[in-house]
Amino acid sequence: DTGSAAAIPINEVDIAYVTPVTVGTPPQTLMLDLDTGSSDLWVFSSLTPSSQVRGQDIYTPANSSTSKLLNGHTWSIRYGDGSGSRGTVYLDTLAVGGLEVKSQAVQTAQEVSSSFTQEQSLDGLMGLGFSTLNTVRPSSQLTFFDNARPSLDEEVFTADLKYHATGSYDFGFVDRAKYTGNISYTAVTESPGYWTHSLSGYAVGSGAFQTTRLSGISDTGTTLLYLPTAVVTAYYRQVQGAQNSQYYGGYVFPCSSSLPTFTFGIEEARFTIPASYINYTRISPTSTTCYGGLQSSSGLGINIFGDVALKAAFVVFSGTNPPRIGFAHK
Ligand SMILES: CC(C)(C)S(=O)(=O)N[C@@H](Cc1ccccc1)C(=O)N[C@@H](Cc1c[nH]c[nH+]1)C(=O)N[C@@H](CC1CCCCC1)C(O)(O)C(F)(F)C(=O)NCCN1CCOCC1
């Protein structure tokens, strides 16, 4: 079996991407953020207080003939940006791009934090990290990918995220039409449940490639690229008027600045992020100060290869044993 679905940016600066997912019988369609940085599939639901729902689509288990309450199970998750949610669990039929799983744990939110209420384009998350990160207790649940595995033609899913455009997620196959040349693979460690791997080095603009292994997580659920301070200062040293603002919590610069590209290595392969991806957004609609798409990871304790980096490549998340991750040009 295979599946293929759209990855649609939810705003004009690609803060996140959502994918249509159908849940239950008859199918209820929700727009979920497919997130390789977590492993809970949770949705706004009929159990979410109406005061916390603002425009999101909801899953109503009572309207599904195939829903089953997973008795006595609860979950609670906190994300890197401080947002969170918690609730109960149903098993139901769930499909992404034509690929169906009969009994997927669907975590129904009974409480969501305000940033989720405010994000009306996001009806929930589909975690595609390793199932060890799942927060359902007393027994943790499997991700959609882990449930789908036995029926997949190939034990992979791919991410083709695009800059200011709709891309795609494919399950069970690697679409030759979506990339050029060869796929450069590198080893993944499942610790502690993320797609953790290393970069073989980096270059700022046309500068020399610095060969140094940088470990981090490829995370479709994180907007920006977070790397060590040494790398980030080397980058912004090339940007007129750039400064690390305490006020804005990161590197900002005049929107008129010309930015260098940023290149990262996956083993012998090199991937260049265009300057436009790093000129992330104005700090306010009328401001001439812009916020960088490359920021320091020093406060995070981990380097995060988020969407700013991932959208510069075609990425293969391979659930083989051992797992590996592949990057190709597109
Ligand atoms: C707002 C922003 C300045 C552009 S942002 O860069 O912060 N963007 C947010 C994503 C977002 C999208 C839409 C609206 C609002 C926020 C972002 O990139 N947040 C990151 C991480 C981060 C670090 N620093 C600042 N932010 C995050 O929490 N990402 C998680 C998924 C997000 C959560 C909010 C909603 C959108 C999806 C994540 O899952 O990718 C994660 F890996 F970062 C994470 O927190 N994983 C949870 C890991 N736990 C470990 C323990 O077991 C349970 C799972």
PDB file of all heavy atoms in Angstrom, residues 49-77:
ATOM      1  N   PRO A  49     -13.506  21.832  25.182  1.00  0.00           N
ATOM      2  CA  PRO A  49     -14.461  22.882  25.584  1.00  0.00           C
ATOM      3  C   PRO A  49     -14.639  23.893  24.453  1.00  0.00           C
ATOM      4  O   PRO A  49     -13.643  24.308  23.833  1.00  0.00           O
ATOM      5  CB  PRO A  49     -13.769  23.522  26.791  1.00  0.00           C
ATOM      6  CG  PRO A  49     -12.811  22.495  27.300  1.00  0.00           C
ATOM      7  CD  PRO A  49     -12.370  21.713  26.098  1.00  0.00           C
ATOM      8  N   SER A  50     -15.874  24.298  24.192  1.00  0.00           N
ATOM      9  CA  SER A  50     -16.138  25.194  23.059  1.00  0.00           C
ATOM     10  C   SER A  50     -15.397  26.531  23.235  1.00  0.00           C
ATOM     11  O   SER A  50     -15.020  27.168  22.252  1.00  0.00           O
ATOM     12  CB  SER A  50     -17.640  25.444  22.915  1.00  0.00           C
ATOM     13  OG  SER A  50     -18.137  25.908  24.157  1.00  0.00           O
ATOM     14  N   SER A  51     -15.105  26.892  24.500  1.00  0.00           N
ATOM     15  CA  SER A  51     -14.370  28.154  24.735  1.00  0.00           C
ATOM     16  C   SER A  51     -12.940  28.051  24.206  1.00  0.00           C
ATOM     17  O   SER A  51     -12.266  29.052  24.010  1.00  0.00           O
ATOM     18  CB  SER A  51     -14.325  28.457  26.239  1.00  0.00           C
ATOM     19  OG  SER A  51     -13.612  27.409  26.903  1.00  0.00           O
ATOM     20  N   GLN A  52     -12.453  26.828  23.974  1.00  0.00           N
ATOM     21  CA  GLN A  52     -11.071  26.648  23.505  1.00  0.00           C
ATOM     22  C   GLN A  52     -11.019  26.345  22.012  1.00  0.00           C
ATOM     23  O   GLN A  52      -9.950  26.124  21.453  1.00  0.00           O
ATOM     24  CB  GLN A  52     -10.374  25.536  24.295  1.00  0.00           C
ATOM     25  CG  GLN A  52     -10.238  25.842  25.777  1.00  0.00           C
ATOM     26  CD  GLN A  52      -9.577  24.704  26.546  1.00  0.00           C
ATOM     27  OE1 GLN A  52      -8.947  23.837  25.960  1.00  0.00           O
ATOM     28  NE2 GLN A  52      -9.752  24.698  27.864  1.00  0.00           N
ATOM     29  N   VAL A  53     -12.172  26.295  21.355  1.00  0.00           N
ATOM     30  CA  VAL A  53     -12.231  26.009  19.915  1.00  0.00           C
ATOM     31  C   VAL A  53     -12.577  27.307  19.179  1.00  0.00           C
ATOM     32  O   VAL A  53     -13.558  27.970  19.536  1.00  0.00           O
ATOM     33  CB  VAL A  53     -13.299  24.939  19.595  1.00  0.00           C
ATOM     34  CG1 VAL A  53     -13.294  24.592  18.107  1.00  0.00           C
ATOM     35  CG2 VAL A  53     -13.067  23.690  20.439  1.00  0.00           C
ATOM     36  N   ARG A  54     -11.706  27.671  18.208  1.00  0.00           N
ATOM     37  CA  ARG A  54     -11.976  28.920  17.470  1.00  0.00           C
ATOM     38  C   ARG A  54     -11.737  28.669  15.978  1.00  0.00           C
ATOM     39  O   ARG A  54     -10.681  28.956  15.430  1.00  0.00           O
ATOM     40  CB  ARG A  54     -11.067  30.043  17.988  1.00  0.00           C
ATOM     41  CG  ARG A  54     -11.539  31.437  17.550  1.00  0.00           C
ATOM     42  CD  ARG A  54     -10.880  32.547  18.353  1.00  0.00           C
ATOM     43  NE  ARG A  54     -11.076  32.383  19.790  1.00  0.00           N
ATOM     44  CZ  ARG A  54     -10.171  32.757  20.705  1.00  0.00           C
ATOM     45  NH1 ARG A  54      -9.034  33.300  20.326  1.00  0.00           N
ATOM     46  NH2 ARG A  54     -10.404  32.572  21.985  1.00  0.00           N
ATOM     47  N   GLY A  55     -12.756  28.042  15.351  1.00  0.00           N
ATOM     48  CA  GLY A  55     -12.677  27.863  13.901  1.00  0.00           C
ATOM     49  C   GLY A  55     -12.086  26.539  13.469  1.00  0.00           C
ATOM     50  O   GLY A  55     -12.131  26.190  12.297  1.00  0.00           O
ATOM     51  N   GLN A  56     -11.493  25.773  14.399  1.00  0.00           N
ATOM     52  CA  GLN A  56     -10.917  24.485  14.012  1.00  0.00           C
ATOM     53  C   GLN A  56     -12.035  23.494  13.657  1.00  0.00           C
ATOM     54  O   GLN A  56     -13.145  23.594  14.171  1.00  0.00           O
ATOM     55  CB  GLN A  56     -10.088  23.894  15.176  1.00  0.00           C
ATOM     56  CG  GLN A  56      -8.812  24.656  15.493  1.00  0.00           C
ATOM     57  CD  GLN A  56      -9.027  25.851  16.405  1.00  0.00           C
ATOM     58  OE1 GLN A  56     -10.157  26.095  16.870  1.00  0.00           O
ATOM     59  NE2 GLN A  56      -7.969  26.620  16.648  1.00  0.00           N
ATOM     60  N   ASP A  57     -11.702  22.530  12.772  1.00  0.00           N
ATOM     61  CA  ASP A  57     -12.605  21.384  12.557  1.00  0.00           C
ATOM     62  C   ASP A  57     -12.409  20.457  13.744  1.00  0.00           C
ATOM     63  O   ASP A  57     -11.313  20.391  14.313  1.00  0.00           O
ATOM     64  CB  ASP A  57     -12.212  20.644  11.266  1.00  0.00           C
ATOM     65  CG  ASP A  57     -12.422  21.529  10.035  1.00  0.00           C
ATOM     66  OD1 ASP A  57     -13.484  22.171   9.967  1.00  0.00           O
ATOM     67  OD2 ASP A  57     -11.516  21.616   9.182  1.00  0.00           O
ATOM     68  N   ILE A  58     -13.461  19.722  14.130  1.00  0.00           N
ATOM     69  CA  ILE A  58     -13.340  18.801  15.272  1.00  0.00           C
ATOM     70  C   ILE A  58     -13.735  17.383  14.858  1.00  0.00           C
ATOM     71  O   ILE A  58     -14.493  17.182  13.910  1.00  0.00           O
ATOM     72  CB  ILE A  58     -14.233  19.248  16.465  1.00  0.00           C
ATOM     73  CG1 ILE A  58     -15.718  19.219  16.093  1.00  0.00           C
ATOM     74  CG2 ILE A  58     -13.806  20.621  16.958  1.00  0.00           C
ATOM     75  CD1 ILE A  58     -16.638  19.353  17.301  1.00  0.00           C
ATOM     76  N   TYR A  59     -13.187  16.421  15.590  1.00  0.00           N
ATOM     77  CA  TYR A  59     -13.545  15.006  15.434  1.00  0.00           C
ATOM     78  C   TYR A  59     -14.584  14.686  16.500  1.00  0.00           C
ATOM     79  O   TYR A  59     -14.360  14.933  17.692  1.00  0.00           O
ATOM     80  CB  TYR A  59     -12.295  14.139  15.623  1.00  0.00           C
ATOM     81  CG  TYR A  59     -12.538  12.661  15.881  1.00  0.00           C
ATOM     82  CD1 TYR A  59     -13.260  11.870  14.976  1.00  0.00           C
ATOM     83  CD2 TYR A  59     -12.029  12.044  17.015  1.00  0.00           C
ATOM     84  CE1 TYR A  59     -13.468  10.513  15.209  1.00  0.00           C
ATOM     85  CE2 TYR A  59     -12.214  10.689  17.256  1.00  0.00           C
ATOM     86  CZ  TYR A  59     -12.942   9.931  16.353  1.00  0.00           C
ATOM     87  OH  TYR A  59     -13.135   8.582  16.595  1.00  0.00           O
ATOM     88  N   THR A  60     -15.723  14.140  16.063  1.00  0.00           N
ATOM     89  CA  THR A  60     -16.792  13.749  16.970  1.00  0.00           C
ATOM     90  C   THR A  60     -16.929  12.228  16.952  1.00  0.00           C
ATOM     91  O   THR A  60     -17.532  11.673  16.014  1.00  0.00           O
ATOM     92  CB  THR A  60     -18.114  14.408  16.541  1.00  0.00           C
ATOM     93  OG1 THR A  60     -17.923  15.823  16.507  1.00  0.00           O
ATOM     94  CG2 THR A  60     -19.228  14.070  17.523  1.00  0.00           C
ATOM     95  N   PRO A  61     -16.342  11.549  17.966  1.00  0.00           N
ATOM     96  CA  PRO A  61     -16.368  10.083  17.966  1.00  0.00           C
ATOM     97  C   PRO A  61     -17.797   9.515  17.900  1.00  0.00           C
ATOM     98  O   PRO A  61     -18.032   8.493  17.261  1.00  0.00           O
ATOM     99  CB  PRO A  61     -15.690   9.701  19.287  1.00  0.00           C
ATOM    100  CG  PRO A  61     -14.983  10.908  19.772  1.00  0.00           C
ATOM    101  CD  PRO A  61     -15.602  12.091  19.119  1.00  0.00           C
ATOM    102  N   ALA A  62     -18.743  10.239  18.534  1.00  0.00           N
ATOM    103  CA  ALA A  62     -20.140   9.761  18.570  1.00  0.00           C
ATOM    104  C   ALA A  62     -20.733   9.654  17.167  1.00  0.00           C
ATOM    105  O   ALA A  62     -21.661   8.878  16.937  1.00  0.00           O
ATOM    106  CB  ALA A  62     -20.969  10.698  19.435  1.00  0.00           C
ATOM    107  N   ASN A  63     -20.168  10.418  16.222  1.00  0.00           N
ATOM    108  CA  ASN A  63     -20.696  10.391  14.844  1.00  0.00           C
ATOM    109  C   ASN A  63     -19.982   9.367  13.979  1.00  0.00           C
ATOM    110  O   ASN A  63     -20.199   9.312  12.765  1.00  0.00           O
ATOM    111  CB  ASN A  63     -20.555  11.772  14.192  1.00  0.00           C
ATOM    112  CG  ASN A  63     -21.464  12.790  14.833  1.00  0.00           C
ATOM    113  OD1 ASN A  63     -22.301  12.432  15.667  1.00  0.00           O
ATOM    114  ND2 ASN A  63     -21.271  14.063  14.484  1.00  0.00           N
ATOM    115  N   SER A  64     -19.116   8.560  14.598  1.00  0.00           N
ATOM    116  CA  SER A  64     -18.373   7.558  13.836  1.00  0.00           C
ATOM    117  C   SER A  64     -18.784   6.155  14.292  1.00  0.00           C
ATOM    118  O   SER A  64     -18.654   5.812  15.475  1.00  0.00           O
ATOM    119  CB  SER A  64     -16.860   7.718  14.051  1.00  0.00           C
ATOM    120  OG  SER A  64     -16.177   6.590  13.517  1.00  0.00           O
ATOM    121  N   SER A  65     -19.249   5.328  13.355  1.00  0.00           N
ATOM    122  CA  SER A  65     -19.721   3.978  13.696  1.00  0.00           C
ATOM    123  C   SER A  65     -18.544   3.057  14.040  1.00  0.00           C
ATOM    124  O   SER A  65     -18.739   1.973  14.589  1.00  0.00           O
ATOM    125  CB  SER A  65     -20.495   3.391  12.513  1.00  0.00           C
ATOM    126  OG  SER A  65     -19.623   3.316  11.391  1.00  0.00           O
ATOM    127  N   THR A  66     -17.308   3.492  13.757  1.00  0.00           N
ATOM    128  CA  THR A  66     -16.142   2.624  14.000  1.00  0.00           C
ATOM    129  C   THR A  66     -15.305   3.091  15.193  1.00  0.00           C
ATOM    130  O   THR A  66     -14.260   2.527  15.459  1.00  0.00           O
ATOM    131  CB  THR A  66     -15.257   2.587  12.742  1.00  0.00           C
ATOM    132  OG1 THR A  66     -15.162   3.904  12.190  1.00  0.00           O
ATOM    133  CG2 THR A  66     -15.859   1.662  11.691  1.00  0.00           C
ATOM    134  N   SER A  67     -15.769   4.162  15.893  1.00  0.00           N
ATOM    135  CA  SER A  67     -14.966   4.668  17.030  1.00  0.00           C
ATOM    136  C   SER A  67     -15.159   3.775  18.249  1.00  0.00           C
ATOM    137  O   SER A  67     -16.243   3.262  18.491  1.00  0.00           O
ATOM    138  CB  SER A  67     -15.396   6.096  17.372  1.00  0.00           C
ATOM    139  OG  SER A  67     -16.696   6.084  17.942  1.00  0.00           O
ATOM    140  N   LYS A  68     -14.051   3.588  18.989  1.00  0.00           N
ATOM    141  CA  LYS A  68     -14.115   2.800  20.233  1.00  0.00           C
ATOM    142  C   LYS A  68     -13.303   3.531  21.291  1.00  0.00           C
ATOM    143  O   LYS A  68     -12.137   3.857  21.054  1.00  0.00           O
ATOM    144  CB  LYS A  68     -13.486   1.416  20.015  1.00  0.00           C
ATOM    145  CG  LYS A  68     -14.419   0.363  19.456  1.00  0.00           C
ATOM    146  CD  LYS A  68     -13.871  -1.063  19.632  1.00  0.00           C
ATOM    147  CE  LYS A  68     -12.479  -1.268  19.036  1.00  0.00           C
ATOM    148  NZ  LYS A  68     -12.502  -1.105  17.568  1.00  0.00           N
ATOM    149  N   LEU A  69     -13.883   3.806  22.459  1.00  0.00           N
ATOM    150  CA  LEU A  69     -13.141   4.470  23.534  1.00  0.00           C
ATOM    151  C   LEU A  69     -12.044   3.520  24.019  1.00  0.00           C
ATOM    152  O   LEU A  69     -12.285   2.324  24.209  1.00  0.00           O
ATOM    153  CB  LEU A  69     -14.071   4.823  24.701  1.00  0.00           C
ATOM    154  CG  LEU A  69     -13.396   5.411  25.950  1.00  0.00           C
ATOM    155  CD1 LEU A  69     -12.857   6.810  25.645  1.00  0.00           C
ATOM    156  CD2 LEU A  69     -14.352   5.446  27.125  1.00  0.00           C
ATOM    157  N   LEU A  70     -10.813   4.054  24.175  1.00  0.00           N
ATOM    158  CA  LEU A  70      -9.732   3.249  24.761  1.00  0.00           C
ATOM    159  C   LEU A  70      -9.811   3.506  26.264  1.00  0.00           C
ATOM    160  O   LEU A  70      -9.264   4.482  26.783  1.00  0.00           O
ATOM    161  CB  LEU A  70      -8.375   3.673  24.178  1.00  0.00           C
ATOM    162  CG  LEU A  70      -7.192   2.770  24.518  1.00  0.00           C
ATOM    163  CD1 LEU A  70      -7.433   1.344  24.031  1.00  0.00           C
ATOM    164  CD2 LEU A  70      -5.914   3.323  23.922  1.00  0.00           C
ATOM    165  N   ASN A  71     -10.553   2.619  26.955  1.00  0.00           N
ATOM    166  CA  ASN A  71     -10.925   2.851  28.353  1.00  0.00           C
ATOM    167  C   ASN A  71      -9.739   3.155  29.262  1.00  0.00           C
ATOM    168  O   ASN A  71      -8.707   2.478  29.173  1.00  0.00           O
ATOM    169  CB  ASN A  71     -11.663   1.614  28.891  1.00  0.00           C
ATOM    170  CG  ASN A  71     -13.009   2.024  29.445  1.00  0.00           C
ATOM    171  OD1 ASN A  71     -13.075   3.062  30.106  1.00  0.00           O
ATOM    172  ND2 ASN A  71     -14.052   1.284  29.134  1.00  0.00           N
ATOM    173  N   GLY A  72      -9.883   4.178  30.109  1.00  0.00           N
ATOM    174  CA  GLY A  72      -8.903   4.454  31.161  1.00  0.00           C
ATOM    175  C   GLY A  72      -7.577   4.995  30.675  1.00  0.00           C
ATOM    176  O   GLY A  72      -6.617   5.099  31.419  1.00  0.00           O
ATOM    177  N   HIS A  73      -7.504   5.362  29.383  1.00  0.00           N
ATOM    178  CA  HIS A  73      -6.238   5.897  28.856  1.00  0.00           C
ATOM    179  C   HIS A  73      -6.313   7.408  28.713  1.00  0.00           C
ATOM    180  O   HIS A  73      -7.343   7.940  28.284  1.00  0.00           O
ATOM    181  CB  HIS A  73      -5.906   5.255  27.508  1.00  0.00           C
ATOM    182  CG  HIS A  73      -5.417   3.854  27.622  1.00  0.00           C
ATOM    183  ND1 HIS A  73      -6.219   2.799  28.016  1.00  0.00           N
ATOM    184  CD2 HIS A  73      -4.178   3.324  27.424  1.00  0.00           C
ATOM    185  CE1 HIS A  73      -5.512   1.692  28.049  1.00  0.00           C
ATOM    186  NE2 HIS A  73      -4.269   1.980  27.695  1.00  0.00           N
ATOM    187  N   THR A  74      -5.231   8.079  29.100  1.00  0.00           N
ATOM    188  CA  THR A  74      -5.161   9.542  28.964  1.00  0.00           C
ATOM    189  C   THR A  74      -3.796   9.917  28.386  1.00  0.00           C
ATOM    190  O   THR A  74      -2.905   9.059  28.294  1.00  0.00           O
ATOM    191  CB  THR A  74      -5.309  10.230  30.338  1.00  0.00           C
ATOM    192  OG1 THR A  74      -4.270   9.738  31.197  1.00  0.00           O
ATOM    193  CG2 THR A  74      -6.675   9.944  30.949  1.00  0.00           C
ATOM    194  N   TRP A  75      -3.663  11.173  28.022  1.00  0.00           N
ATOM    195  CA  TRP A  75      -2.387  11.668  27.485  1.00  0.00           C
ATOM    196  C   TRP A  75      -2.230  13.132  27.845  1.00  0.00           C
ATOM    197  O   TRP A  75      -3.231  13.813  28.148  1.00  0.00           O
ATOM    198  CB  TRP A  75      -2.339  11.497  25.965  1.00  0.00           C
ATOM    199  CG  TRP A  75      -3.466  12.203  25.272  1.00  0.00           C
ATOM    200  CD1 TRP A  75      -4.760  11.748  25.129  1.00  0.00           C
ATOM    201  CD2 TRP A  75      -3.443  13.517  24.689  1.00  0.00           C
ATOM    202  NE1 TRP A  75      -5.543  12.692  24.483  1.00  0.00           N
ATOM    203  CE2 TRP A  75      -4.748  13.796  24.198  1.00  0.00           C
ATOM    204  CE3 TRP A  75      -2.440  14.491  24.520  1.00  0.00           C
ATOM    205  CZ2 TRP A  75      -5.072  14.982  23.554  1.00  0.00           C
ATOM    206  CZ3 TRP A  75      -2.774  15.675  23.884  1.00  0.00           C
ATOM    207  CH2 TRP A  75      -4.072  15.906  23.416  1.00  0.00           C
ATOM    208  N   SER A  76      -0.993  13.613  27.811  1.00  0.00           N
ATOM    209  CA  SER A  76      -0.710  15.014  28.097  1.00  0.00           C
ATOM    210  C   SER A  76       0.645  15.330  27.493  1.00  0.00           C
ATOM    211  O   SER A  76       1.616  14.618  27.749  1.00  0.00           O
ATOM    212  CB  SER A  76      -0.672  15.245  29.615  1.00  0.00           C
ATOM    213  OG  SER A  76      -0.243  16.574  29.869  1.00  0.00           O
ATOM    214  N   ILE A  77       0.709  16.365  26.657  1.00  0.00           N
ATOM    215  CA  ILE A  77       1.960  16.647  25.945  1.00  0.00           C
ATOM    216  C   ILE A  77       2.320  18.126  26.055  1.00  0.00           C
ATOM    217  O   ILE A  77       1.420  18.974  26.110  1.00  0.00           O
ATOM    218  CB  ILE A  77       1.865  16.194  24.468  1.00  0.00           C
ATOM    219  CG1 ILE A  77       3.240  16.212  23.793  1.00  0.00           C
ATOM    220  CG2 ILE A  77       0.868  17.059  23.676  1.00  0.00           C
ATOM    221  CD1 ILE A  77       3.285  15.421  22.495  1.00  0.00           C
TER     222      ILE A  77
END
